[in-house]
């Protein structure tokens, strides 16, 4: 059982003769356990047999382990019968990490300090290790001990550097580790950072391009296979006013027979000017979710947006036809 669950217990008391009215019963519970309901049934009007039904609730913070419940039947103050019931409470590991105190924003060169609240909502004492991938933890220790239903606060501190951007996000994180398992609990908080002054645009209007080549070979007793794919892609604005945007992708050749690579060639070019865009080559066409999600193929597509409406012209020779 888990802490906070309830259990229904049935006890049948019977004798060779009619049960005396002086018979009394009692259910002894562990500390802080509660009897929610109890009743007595006399099946079919029999006087030599009675059934006692108890609904027992366990504490939400009950520690893991084995507990004993004792049911006794007494007559004239003397115990005539005794029955022990053993119930095992499972271990529940539940810890929560919440960013408690942090700034709304920062300036470059500032110090980011975030206060985290760590709560042990489980039913066992936990031995923890804390670490952060950025900055440091104030008053850091090798091990922290957190009793059940206990909480603690820690501060994570880091210096904010400088960037060429006017705004970016700085992240603070905290990771909880355990001594007895590789399981971790991770929490992160992002804070916007603003430059102290507006950054100038790239004076050279550089256009970023990425080039990559992937080669893979496989050899076995009966198979010897090699595969090669390349990819060239780029995307960026063509003017300082950011009215003209160009992106392209060249990826190939197709390697459908090589499971590790297993992708199809794709060659596409997209140009956007304000509210107009032109796509050439391979692309996904999606008209409406009422028809189908999309179709991939080769052709062209022109889109024009207005204030209240838009239109598209396209031509597509689809590559994959459903059977």
């Amino acid at each position: 059982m888990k802490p906070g669950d309830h259990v229904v217990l049935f006890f049948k008391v019977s004798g060779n003769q009619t049960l005396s009215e002086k018979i009394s019963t009692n259910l002894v519970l562990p500390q802080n356990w509660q009897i929610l309901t109890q009743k007595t049934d006399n099946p079919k009007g029999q006087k030599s047999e009675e059934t006692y039904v108890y609904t027992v609730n366990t504490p939400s913070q009950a520690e893991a382990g084995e507990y004993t419940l004792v049911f006794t039947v007494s007559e004239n103050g003397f115990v005539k019968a005794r029955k022990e019931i053993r119930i095992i409470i499972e271990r529940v590991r539940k810890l929560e990490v919440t960013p408690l105190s942090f700034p709304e924003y920062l300036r470059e060169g500032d110090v980011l300090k975030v206060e985290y609240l760590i709560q042990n909502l489980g039913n066992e004492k936990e031995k923890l290790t804390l670490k952060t991938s950025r900055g440091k933890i104030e008053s850091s220790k090798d091990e922290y001990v957190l009793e059940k239903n206990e909480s603690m606060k820690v501060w994570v501190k880091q210096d904010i550097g400088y960037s060429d951007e006017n705004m970016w996000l700085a992240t603070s994180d905290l990771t909880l580790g355990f001594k007895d398992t590789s399981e971790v609990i991770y929490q992160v908080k992002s804070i916007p950072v603003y430059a102290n002054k507006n950054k100038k645009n790239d004076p050279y209007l550089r256009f970023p391009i990425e080039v990559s080549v992937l080669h893979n070979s496989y050899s076995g007793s009966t198979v010897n296979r090699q595969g090669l794919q390349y990819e060239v892609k780029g995307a960026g604005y063509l003017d300082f006013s950011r009215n003209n945007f160009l992106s392209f992708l060249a990826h190939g050749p197709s390697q459908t027979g090589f499971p590790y690579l297993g992708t199809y060639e794709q060659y596409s070019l997209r140009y956007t000017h304000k509210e107009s865009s032109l796509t050439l080559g391979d692309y996904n066409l999606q008209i409406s979710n009422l028809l189908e999600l999309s179709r991939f193929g080769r052709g062209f597509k022109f889109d024009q947006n207005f204030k209240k409406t838009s239109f598209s012209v396209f031509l597509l020779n689809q590559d994959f036809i459903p059977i």
Side-chain angles (χ1 to χ4, degrees), residues 94-95 119-122 124 126 146-150:
K94 184 179 180 182
L95 289 103
Q119 301 178 86
N120 183 4
L121 304 178
E124 284 286 306
E126 297 288 356
L146 203 59
E147 299 289 342
K148 66 175 184 177
N149 207 29
E150 190 179 39

Side-chain angles (χ1 to χ4, degrees), residues 267-271 278-283 298-301:
Y267 304 97
S268 61
L269 176 70
R270 180 181 176 85
Y271 170 72
L278 175 66
T279 302
L280 301 175
D282 301 311
Y283 68 96
R298 182 167 297 176
F300 77 90
K301 185 171 184 281

Side-chain angles (χ1 to χ4, degrees), residues 14-40:
S14 58
N16 295 328
Q17 300 176 353
T18 301
L19 296 177
S20 170
E21 295 181 355
K22 297 181 180 181
I23 284 181
S24 62
T25 60
N26 185 38
L27 180 62
V28 181
L29 302 179
Q31 186 176 4
N32 296 326
W33 290 44
Q34 292 181 328
I35 297 177
L36 298 180
T37 63
Q38 66 181 77
K39 64 178 182 177
T40 303

Side-chain angles (χ1 to χ4, degrees), residues 243-302:
N243 290 325
N244 298 280
F245 183 84
L246 179 70
S247 64
F248 67 88
L249 171 65
H251 179 93
S254 298
Q255 294 287 353
T256 57
F258 206 110
Y260 179 76
L261 300 176
T263 56
Y264 294 88
E265 63 180 5
Q266 183 177 355
Y267 304 97
S268 61
L269 176 70
R270 180 181 176 85
Y271 170 72
T272 302
H273 175 71
K274 295 184 178 180
E275 300 300 325
S276 305
S277 66
L278 175 66
T279 302
L280 301 175
D282 301 311
Y283 68 96
N284 271 314
L285 176 65
Q286 181 179 14
I287 300 177
S288 170
N289 288 333
L290 297 177
L291 300 177
E292 58 186 0
L293 291 179
S294 64
R295 282 292 179 95
F296 181 80
R298 182 167 297 176
F300 77 90
K301 185 171 184 281
F302 176 76

Side-chain angles (χ1 to χ4, degrees), residues 2-17:
K2 294 182 179 180
D5 288 350
H6 67 271
V7 61
V8 180
L9 302 175
F10 295 84
F11 298 95
K12 185 173 69 173
V13 178
S14 58
N16 295 328
Q17 300 176 353

